[in-house]
Amino acid sequence: MKAVQFTEHGDRDVLEYGDFPDPEVGPDEVLVDVKAASLNHLDIWTRRGLPGVELEMPHIPGSDMAGVVTEVGERVSRFEAGDRVALIAGVAGGGDEFSRKGDPTLAPDFHIIGEHVRGVHAEFAAIPEENLVPVPEGVPWEVAGSASLVFQTAWRMLVDRGELRPGEKALVLGASGGVGHAAVQIADYAGAEVYATASTDEKLEYAKECGADHVINYEEDDFSKEIRKLTDGRGVDMVVDHIGEATYKQSLKSLVKGGRVVTCGATTGPDPGAGLNYIFWNQLSVIGSTMATPGEADEVLDLVWDGTFEPRIRETLPMSEIDRAHELIEERQGFGKVVVIPDSEL
């Protein structure tokens, strides 16, 4: 088969799309003919190299995809050949306590397909059946292959970990990215008054289309000061911050007393300083969140499949143009998800 791969960490020039051995299907695995996959910022960090993460080389990146089942292992019971499926990338471990009914993100050896083990930017992928969900007929492959990671992540952040309530004010940072544009839609669906930041007026218009009530160009304005103006000095109840060092202190300053920051990542760096003076004096909460439970993923993906939520596609490319796909993410070009399709499917 053909697959995106790299044999060493580095810049985009380490990526290639070439021959790779066909995957072998284990007894609990499903072989998927990949129809569409997509990128996340996670793919950039994996390619560059994550501290403490040792990869088997060559590594295939990718934590989002959808396709058709072509073969199932002998112990597989949930799927059969011909089924349409999408990937849920979080893998549990540690025994029955962390089964599909539990919370795999709390498992002792929780890991992510595409980050810690080989991923799915390839013509075929062998995936544990517990990491697949059915995709209804009529859902476009681009939608099915780009929704899972960002919508489950944003849903857990806002609904389950952050407990966003109707009438609250929520600020979503980086609203043009995958998690950001999903979070705007979910906050609007939850009945919040939604504030969003992005770097260009064009991106801000897209954020409004996704449900933002107020938008701020962070290249032109200090968003924490703008939030105070827009809320008559009050602040917001929740900040969705997946950016990290560059925004963390402004996020704390944007909150009402008793407010909360919810974070699932740190694309500009993980060590912004604790800001303890803001936290204890204003009685703030900083809440971490990673991926989702299977139940949470099922809940939000049902809302994607029925059209309530929509993954916006900034560009669709053949997998052979994977360097351009990474460039779009790294350079923050466009709004929404970048989709890659095996060249054999074009």
Side-chain angles (χ1 to χ4, degrees), residues 46-127:
T46 302
R47 189 201 75 219
R48 293 175 180 172
L50 288 162
V53 178
E54 296 292 332
L55 298 178
E56 180 183 1
M57 296 292 187
H59 180 71
I60 299 175
S63 303
D64 261 331
M65 73 86 187
V68 176
V69 173
T70 62
E71 183 182 340
V72 300
E74 60 189 34
R75 292 201 292 262
V76 170
S77 60
R78 296 177 57 231
F79 300 103
E80 58 185 29
D83 286 349
R84 293 161 52 94
V85 294
L87 176 69
I88 301 294
V91 180
D96 293 339
E97 179 184 359
F98 302 103
S99 68
R100 182 172 171 79
K101 296 181 180 179
D103 187 343
T105 68
L106 299 176
D109 63 350
F110 174 75
H111 59 279
I112 297 172
I113 294 169
E115 178 180 2
H116 304 94
V117 297
R118 285 173 178 157
V120 294
H121 288 170
E123 290 182 313
F124 294 92
I127 304 296

Side-chain angles (χ1 to χ4, degrees), residues 132-199:
L132 294 170
V133 293
V135 175
E137 292 288 341
V139 176
W141 288 123
E142 286 187 347
V143 171
S146 62
S148 173
L149 192 144
V150 295
F151 275 92
Q152 67 168 301
T153 298
W155 183 266
R156 181 178 174 90
M157 288 176 75
L158 276 70
V159 176
D160 293 278
R161 297 286 288 147
E163 298 182 337
L164 185 63
R165 296 180 290 275
E168 288 193 311
K169 300 178 186 295
L171 168 62
V172 178
L173 305 186
S176 65
V179 169
H181 92 295
V184 169
Q185 295 180 60
I186 292 167
D188 180 54
Y189 176 82
E193 185 173 358
V194 185
Y195 301 75
T197 73
S199 60

Side-chain angles (χ1 to χ4, degrees), residues 27 53 84 244 254-255 326 330:
V53 178
R84 293 161 52 94
S254 299
L255 290 169
H326 276 240
E330 282 186 291

Side-chain angles (χ1 to χ4, degrees), residues 239-280:
V239 178
V240 178
D241 187 341
H242 49 92
I243 299 171
E245 286 185 17
T247 55
Y248 176 72
K249 289 188 177 178
Q250 288 171 284
S251 293
L252 296 180
K253 291 179 180 179
S254 299
L255 290 169
V256 67
K257 283 199 170 187
R260 57 225 189 260
V261 173
V262 187
T263 178
C264 68
T267 57
T268 61
D271 298 312
L276 293 179
N277 53 329
Y278 289 105
I279 291 173
F280 72 71

Side-chain angles (χ1 to χ4, degrees), residues 191-256:
E193 185 173 358
V194 185
Y195 301 75
T197 73
S199 60
T200 69
D201 291 342
E202 181 182 17
K203 291 177 181 178
L204 293 173
E205 285 302 313
Y206 280 120
K208 287 181 181 178
E209 290 179 12
C210 286
D213 300 296
H214 313 276
V215 294
I216 301 167
N217 187 324
Y218 66 77
E219 293 286 1
E220 298 177 355
D221 298 300
D222 180 326
F223 71 79
S224 64
K225 293 180 179 178
E226 288 301 304
I227 285 294
R228 292 294 170 184
K229 291 178 185 177
L230 291 169
T231 61
D232 296 323
R234 176 188 183 274
V236 296
D237 300 283
M238 175 188 291
V239 178
V240 178
D241 187 341
H242 49 92
I243 299 171
E245 286 185 17
T247 55
Y248 176 72
K249 289 188 177 178
Q250 288 171 284
S251 293
L252 296 180
K253 291 179 180 179
S254 299
L255 290 169
V256 67

